[in-house]
Amino acid sequence: MLEIRNLHASVEGNEILRGVDLAVNAGEVHAIMGPNGSGKSTLAQVLAGHPAYEVTEGEVRYEGRSLLDLEPEERACNGLFLAFQYPVEIPGVSNSYFLKAALNAIRKHRGQEEMDAFDFLKLVKERIKLVELDESLLNRPVNEGFSGGEKKRNEIMHMAVLEPKLAILDETDSGLDIDALRIVASGVNQLRRSDNATIVVTHYQRLLNYIIPDFVHVLVDGRIAKSGGKELALALEAKGYEWVSDELKEAEAA
Amino acid sequence: MSRGVEQVETHLKNFERFSLNGSAHSPEWIRNLRQKAIARFAAQGFPTARDEEWRFTNVGPLAGFPSALARKSNVDEDQIEQVHGTACRGVHGTRLVFINGYHRPDLSTSVALPKGVIADGLCSAMTTSGELIEHHLGAYAPFDEKPFVALSTAFMRDGAFVYVPRETVVEAPIYLLYLFADREAGATAYPRNLVVVEREGQVVIIEHYVSLVGTPCFTNAVTEIVAGDHTTVEHIKIQDEHRQAFHVATIQSQVGSNGSFTSNNIAWGGKLSRNDVNVTLDGEGIDCTLNGLYVASGDQHMDNRTFLDHTKPRCNSHELYKGILGDEASGVFRGKIHVWEDAQKTDAKQTNKNLLLSDEATIDTMPQLEIFADDVKCTHGATVGQLEDEAIFYLRSRGIDRESARSILTHAFASDIISRISSEAVRQHLDAGLQSLLENSFRVEGGI
């Protein structure tokens, strides 16, 4: 589904990603872990098409085409979804208006008819239960006045409505208490299917107790330094990220 | 120093003709008021950039207008057919229609109003409510330092007269629709409105200005509102004239103790638009709200000036003016709050926020506080900014294209003001108008 080859990206002239390689197939869950500043969020933003990041080298194939040639909205219409680490507040635009506009933009791209207000509401009310979010948040301005946990759950609710093929969760666990974490994880798990894939970007292992990854990758200095199964996350939890960086240095020295 | 002696001369000649024709049959007190006003205008001339009140608005093109009085009869059948299509749909109730500044009872709609309530053309009301009008007309809108008010007063002829007696609540808004139909370039209309609300009266007034022509024309309107103690008055002004129109208007309000006064001032039409909202808080415990929205694209120029006069203790005023400026449009906001020595416990908040959609658009914003009391809470602030890149990206990352994302965010910025209007029908009309304006009037800019 997704193949990243030797991806280099910079922001304001600073190179953050220095040769990322990663392949994700349908039905898989990949966790990307790494210390602060290692480039995890940058990778998520680059995949979603944030214009502040400049790709200087490498390529990304998504369902057989070059992802980097697509505008952010085209990526979304082709099934890519980014759950933001810091969901943006948008005063004056109601949550449901935004979501309906997004859903209909995607449906239009797929050649489907626009969903009317009645069917949309029915869908949203069903999906909002996945994340146990209060329905009143639908009529509030997007993220404005939402608690940290509500913002994150709202991102997963959007994901549940838009049904992406490839979802990237950028530190969705940060700032969540244990109950919210469980709710978010359970929402994500219920959306797992054999024809979609998820990339979970996280600093901590604890989210991975709930969303069990098929693969764990450790990003250090803008490169994937180590990959493994879910047991790698536990090893990281026990030994810390320095263990991987040290290994990497030793390997480079050798 | 008066500017453009020649131009002033044109108006004086027009006035001479007007005194012999249009004005001749008016009561003496009106003729005297007009005389005083024209004399004052002659002494002042048109304002120049040296005049602090007009520093950022060049009235040169206006001063050069032939300024022939728009004719009552200069309207054709096609235009008459358009009248009702231009109105806010869904506003039911009393509707007074004005063509070229003149009341047209045949195009107006009257419904049963509570006992004693009057909603009529000013001219026709003169015969039935002459004393009442004489008592109030011209008593609130000073023209000594205001050349355009002076000019408007000199040429006033018709407009709306609304009277709400004591303890009377008018439920449906009273809708005043002004249509410019005179095709003669430079034709000028001087609508003059008077709203008198007695103690404990309640009313909503909509003043809506539209053009049925595309030729340069000039509307110079003055509205006086006097609201007694414990009144609740909401005034909604919509200026949606065409892109060649010049529009200058003054809304002058005086509010009594424990009154509640709200002004919603929406402007997105005209080539040059200048709107003054002046409120004198003439009692204690008044709640005053001023909301404003100006949207300018192309080469439009929008100048908004507000003046809140806190004369007595314990009054609150909340003011929020928002502007959206794109292309090469320019805007001015100048808000003054004056708190007199006696006006202790004043709570005044003034905010002006501007969204610039292009590099060439400009805004001059000047909030001003003049405080002579020591126990008050007054704040003011102004912001000028652009659409936030992060917000645009957030919308795009969910599948919404760039243009739609920009339009959604811009609309949201403005609908904040529209949502404060009490009438749902007016809100819907404005939301639809704004949508079409944002989609069609602004040139597409770069950005993310």
Side-chain angles (χ1 to χ4, degrees):
Chain A
M1 180 179 279
L2 181 78
E3 196 176 358
I4 305 174
R5 280 191 221 124
N6 189 32
L7 184 65
H8 289 249
S10 343
V11 61
E12 289 169 359
N14 299 319
E15 187 169 56
I16 312 281
L17 299 183
R18 302 157 189 261
V20 175
D21 293 289
L22 180 70
V24 177
N25 297 309
E28 295 175 348
V29 173
H30 289 244
I32 295 180
M33 302 184 70
N36 290 330
S38 60
K40 303 188 299 291
S41 282
T42 298
L43 178 60
Q45 299 271 347
V46 167
L47 292 177
H50 195 297
Y53 297 88
E54 191 195 350
V55 174
T56 51
E57 211 183 322
E59 69 168 336
V60 180
R61 309 290 300 175
Y62 171 70
E63 295 204 306
R65 64 207 298 199
S66 170
L67 183 74
L68 302 176
D69 292 340
L70 302 179
E71 295 289 332
E73 58 268 30
E74 293 173 322
R75 300 179 195 199
C77 286
N78 282 294
L80 191 94
F81 179 90
L82 172 65
F84 277 51
Q85 182 181 5
Y86 303 108
V88 182
E89 295 186 7
I90 307 185
V93 179
S94 85
N95 199 16
S96 66
Y97 179 87
F98 171 30
L99 187 52
K100 185 164 172 264
L103 179 65
N104 280 331
I106 293 171
R107 288 177 67 91
K108 192 176 163 194
H109 178 84
R110 290 190 196 136
Q112 293 170 312
E113 266 185 42
E114 283 203 1
M115 195 178 268
D116 65 26
F118 181 80
D119 288 341
F120 173 74
L121 201 63
K122 213 171 104 186
L123 174 69
V124 172
K125 283 191 172 179
E126 180 204 309
R127 299 293 155 89
I128 202 169
K129 287 189 195 125
L130 279 180
V131 287
E132 297 175 32
L133 204 57
D134 197 296
E135 279 182 20
S136 68
L137 294 187
L138 289 172
N139 296 322
R140 296 245 305 267
V142 182
N143 293 318
E144 196 183 44
F146 288 22
S147 70
E150 284 171 339
K151 285 181 185 172
K152 297 300 180 82
R153 280 190 276 164
N154 192 54
E155 292 289 279
I156 303 305
M157 192 270 284
H158 280 205
M159 171 177 151
V161 170
L162 302 179
E163 299 182 312
K165 285 184 207 154
L166 176 63
I168 303 161
L169 312 185
D170 189 7
E171 309 241 2
T172 298
D173 52 334
S174 67
L176 287 187
D177 62 29
I178 196 74
D179 290 329
L181 188 69
R182 232 190 326 248
I183 292 167
V184 162
S186 134
V188 171
N189 286 330
Q190 290 180 60
L191 296 168
R192 280 180 77 164
R193 292 202 313 244
S194 60
D195 61 349
N196 65 20
T198 311
I199 297 174
V200 181
V201 173
T202 181
H203 182 79
Y204 298 105
Q205 186 268 338
R206 60 174 197 164
L207 178 64
L208 305 179
N209 289 334
Y210 301 98
I211 304 175
I212 313 290
D214 299 303
F215 300 94
V216 174
H217 311 276
V218 185
L219 198 63
V220 177
D221 289 335
R223 253 178 297 183
I224 288 180
K226 201 174 178 66
S227 295
K230 65 186 179 205
E231 65 289 341
L232 177 57
L234 294 167
L236 285 169
E237 182 82 347
K239 300 189 195 170
Y241 286 113
E242 274 180 32
W243 160 62
V244 181
S245 336
D246 291 347
E247 248 188 27
L248 189 70
K249 279 175 203 151
E250 278 169 29
E252 277 173 359
Chain B
M1 272 296 288
S2 70
R3 166 214 196 103
V5 179
E6 268 174 56
Q7 283 102 354
V8 172
E9 277 301 318
T10 308
H11 287 278
L12 296 184
K13 274 184 201 139
N14 284 346
F15 186 77
E16 258 173 52
R17 268 201 301 277
F18 177 58
S19 326
L20 297 174
N21 299 317
S23 175
H25 306 293
S26 303
E28 194 184 353
W29 66 268
I30 288 202
R31 278 183 281 137
N32 289 343
L33 186 57
R34 287 185 184 131
Q35 283 293 350
K36 247 191 266 176
I38 197 71
R40 196 52 215 151
F41 170 73
Q44 294 173 87
F46 282 103
T48 68
R50 283 190 301 276
D51 186 329
E52 190 57 31
E53 297 282 307
W54 291 88
R55 229 171 90 199
F56 298 98
T57 296
N58 174 16
V59 300
L62 250 183
F65 254 52
S67 295
L69 276 179
R71 285 168 193 275
K72 194 174 186 171
S73 56
N74 281 0
V75 54
D76 55 44
E77 284 309 311
D78 290 356
Q79 291 173 319
I80 296 288
E81 271 174 31
Q82 293 173 46
V83 167
H84 296 293
T86 57
C88 293
R89 264 186 295 175
V91 179
H92 303 297
T94 302
R95 176 186 297 177
L96 301 186
V97 175
F98 302 84
I99 304 267
N100 302 334
Y102 295 91
H103 179 217
R104 286 285 300 255
D106 56 322
L107 300 174
S108 301
T109 315
S110 48
V111 299
L113 288 167
K115 191 166 176 282
V117 174
I118 300 169
D120 198 358
L122 185 68
C123 218
S124 110
M126 206 78 84
T127 54
T128 50
S129 317
E131 267 180 50
L132 200 56
I133 295 171
E134 181 176 357
H135 184 70
H136 292 289
L137 192 70
Y140 310 97
F143 50 72
D144 275 359
E145 307 295 331
K146 318 247 178 207
F148 284 100
V149 177
L151 199 57
S152 184
T153 304
F155 287 100
M156 68 180 171
R157 169 82 185 147
D158 205 355
F161 175 61
V162 176
Y163 179 77
V164 179
R166 276 181 75 130
E167 298 171 33
T168 303
V169 178
V170 184
E171 297 281 354
I174 291 180
Y175 184 17
L176 314 175
L177 178 60
Y178 303 84
L179 301 142
F180 213 108
D182 197 328
R183 293 184 202 274
E184 195 178 321
T188 303
Y190 299 98
R192 179 70 178 217
N193 308 301
L194 175 63
V195 177
V196 180
V197 184
E198 303 281 11
R199 190 189 163 89
E200 290 176 59
Q202 296 188 18
V203 70
V204 178
I205 306 278
I206 305 166
E207 254 184 72
H208 186 186
Y209 292 86
V210 190
S211 319
L212 299 176
V213 290
T215 40
C217 58
F218 178 34
T219 296
N220 180 358
V222 175
T223 300
E224 288 175 292
I225 301 170
V226 53
D229 296 351
H230 299 275
T231 48
T232 303
V233 176
E234 180 183 357
H235 182 262
I236 304 162
K237 179 169 184 264
I238 306 166
Q239 192 274 95
D240 188 13
E241 299 207 67
H242 71 80
R243 298 295 179 105
Q244 293 300 318
F246 291 78
H247 184 99
V248 176
T250 296
I251 293 141
Q252 187 81 36
S253 300
Q254 179 167 311
V255 188
S257 290
N258 302 301
S260 162
F261 178 77
T262 304
S263 156
N264 301 297
N265 175 22
I266 314 292
W268 52 53
K271 184 182 180 65
L272 183 154
S273 168
R274 159 76 177 233
N275 203 90
D276 288 34
V277 176
N278 307 317
V279 187
T280 303
L281 305 178
D282 188 35
E284 299 189 18
I286 297 166
D287 234 333
C288 177
T289 306
L290 304 185
N291 301 317
L293 172 65
Y294 44 99
V295 184
S297 59
D299 64 349
Q300 283 183 296
H301 179 79
M302 298 254 172
D303 184 348
N304 278 284
R305 183 188 176 284
T306 65
F307 178 46
L308 269 160
D309 204 8
H310 279 264
T311 69
K312 301 273 167 62
R314 290 184 300 281
C315 291
N316 301 328
S317 64
H318 322 270
E319 176 172 10
L320 176 60
Y321 264 65
K322 282 188 160 189
I324 297 174
L325 302 122
D327 305 338
E328 296 87 40
S330 50
V332 184
F333 172 80
R334 192 182 176 88
K336 193 196 275 187
I337 298 174
H338 188 101
V339 181
W340 293 80
E341 211 174 330
D342 283 348
Q344 299 294 1
K345 308 279 183 197
T346 288
D347 187 344
K349 187 175 185 211
Q350 181 194 78
T351 312
N352 173 229
K353 292 185 176 178
N354 298 284
L355 187 57
L356 297 184
L357 297 180
S358 74
D359 293 340
E360 292 77 30
T362 58
I363 174 78
D364 289 294
T365 173
M366 291 152 287
Q368 262 183 301
L369 288 176
E370 291 172 345
I371 302 172
F372 297 93
D374 49 20
D375 183 14
V376 300
K377 209 169 98 188
C378 293
T379 62
H380 67 165
T383 61
V384 179
Q386 287 148 3
L387 288 174
E388 283 177 38
D389 289 348
E390 284 309 311
I392 294 174
F393 176 62
Y394 189 50
L395 266 60
R396 292 181 74 191
S397 80
R398 293 284 140 94
I400 297 167
D401 67 75
R402 173 166 45 198
E403 283 321 306
S404 305
R406 288 176 64 91
S407 157
I408 287 173
L409 294 172
T410 309
H411 192 104
F413 177 83
S415 67
D416 178 25
I417 296 294
I418 293 174
S419 69
R420 291 160 199 253
I421 292 171
S422 70
S423 159
E424 198 193 339
V426 172
R427 287 200 305 270
Q428 283 178 358
H429 177 88
L430 292 172
D431 260 325
L434 179 66
Q435 188 74 37
S436 121
L437 203 61
L438 296 178
E439 280 169 14
N440 306 318
S441 295
F442 288 86
R443 280 203 306 279
V444 174
E445 296 289 332
I448 85 162

